[in-house]
Amino acid sequence: MLTSVKIQNGSGNSIDLAIDSFDNGYLLKNITGLDPVKASIVSTTIAQRDGAAYQTSRVDARNIIITLGYIPNYVTTSVQSLRGLLYVYAMPKTYVTLTFYIDYQPYATIGAYVESLETELFASDPEVTISLLAFEPYFKAYS
């Protein structure tokens, strides 16, 4: 079972986001884009023949979306400070490495560019959505 994900930027700064813990002030709510990426298949139709002829296929970029909730303690952290801290790890346009852990053992990594970091400013239960694009869509597995 997936237990956590680590986001590490090019400077070596990293944050661990555990599913069952929010000690760092963030609650990992959802991750999408981990399923196999859809293939783009190209075919050609021929007028004298039924169906089509296969030409080629390729896999597009992977779009990983991480949804986090803020869990401030209001003594040392607030929603605003937690929001600002996320920019250290996932500033839009930057390259990051995601490491996925299963039962607290490294399982797979993937490099991606941060497309956006969007947060709801005027919500009673604010959350943030981080969109990442991995142009090399395959995970690198640990053994």
Side-chain angles (χ1 to χ4, degrees), residues 35-114:
D35 291 327
V37 179
K38 184 178 176 182
S40 295
I41 299 174
V42 179
S43 63
T44 303
T45 57
I46 301 170
Q48 293 84 14
R49 191 173 138 206
D50 292 338
Y54 171 82
Q55 294 296 319
T56 189
S57 60
R58 68 191 231 357
V59 176
D60 291 327
R62 180 181 296 275
N63 186 12
I64 298 172
I65 298 174
I66 300 173
T67 305
L68 302 172
Y70 297 113
I71 310 292
N73 62 18
Y74 296 107
V75 175
T76 58
T77 60
S78 65
V79 171
Q80 181 178 353
S81 67
L82 290 170
R83 183 183 312 118
L85 186 60
L86 273 181
Y87 286 109
V88 171
Y89 308 109
M91 177 65 91
K93 253 177 50 173
T94 60
Y95 183 81
V96 297
T97 301
L98 301 173
T99 304
F100 296 92
Y101 293 86
I102 292 183
D103 296 325
Y104 301 100
Q105 297 296 318
Y107 177 70
T109 63
I110 193 166
Y113 287 90
V114 179

